[in-house]
Amino acid sequence: MTRTYGTSRGNPAPEPLGGMVLYPVPESVGHARRWFRKFTAPHQLACSLDDCLLMVSELVTNAILYGKADEPWRVRIHWYRTGEALRVEVHNPGCPAHVRLRTPEATEAHGRGLLLVDGLADEWWAGPSRHGGTVVAFVMQRAFKAD
């Protein structure tokens, strides 16, 4: 499911749960996974942590591969609680128009990251980042038990 980036009316304000700024190097993918696991552990997610970690890996990898800037740049990842939902955002300085869902050929080694996100997330979107560049985000509904 894809939609443009924005806020939904009537939803509770997002509660920041964690985030980090990463260098655009392959080792940052593992750092993002470990920190996401650490910062979400106290919340005992009701959704699949493995699915979330896979999506974090895919989006951070894409941000590293496709982020572009003339000056040194970083990848930003933030995760939020909005009611019972978990929202994860990955920001990079790339162009939002370049984010697209592909259907790669069986022989292609790359191009399946957003297909995985599309299949696992309840919702995902891409658009302009508040930091400049692009944000790609996913939402897992009912990720938290109701208070």
Side-chain angles (χ1 to χ4, degrees):
M1 175 183 300
T2 308
R3 75 177 180 113
T4 56
Y5 182 67
T7 57
S8 301
R9 294 180 187 211
N11 286 341
E15 171 193 346
L17 298 178
M20 58 192 308
V21 178
L22 302 160
Y23 288 102
V25 295
E27 296 81 12
S28 291
V29 177
H31 293 306
R33 287 173 59 96
R34 283 189 293 282
W35 281 100
F36 180 84
R37 181 187 302 271
K38 179 179 180 173
F39 278 100
T40 58
H43 301 282
Q44 299 177 344
L45 295 178
C47 61
S48 168
L49 178 61
D50 289 336
D51 287 354
C52 290
L53 291 171
L54 177 59
M55 291 187 286
V56 164
S57 293
E58 293 298 334
L59 295 186
V60 170
T61 297
N62 284 352
I64 292 167
L65 290 175
Y66 302 113
K68 301 283 184 250
D70 292 331
E71 63 279 342
W73 58 277
R74 304 289 183 270
V75 172
R76 297 172 186 272
I77 180 170
H78 305 280
W79 44 95
Y80 304 89
R81 178 178 181 168
T82 305
E84 293 180 24
L86 170 70
R87 183 177 82 217
V88 178
E89 299 177 352
V90 179
H91 302 259
N92 74 66
C95 178
H98 295 153
V99 177
R100 61 186 168 80
L101 191 60
R102 296 184 55 226
T103 305
E105 298 293 326
T107 57
E108 289 183 81
H110 302 283
R112 292 169 181 80
L114 285 179
L115 282 173
L116 289 169
V117 173
D118 189 58
L120 295 173
D122 293 315
E123 185 177 342
W124 74 273
W125 65 88
S129 168
R130 67 182 172 274
H131 301 291
T134 301
V135 61
V136 181
F138 69 85
V139 173
M140 298 298 281
Q141 301 292 344
R142 297 172 300 284
F144 299 95
K145 295 181 174 104
D147 291 333

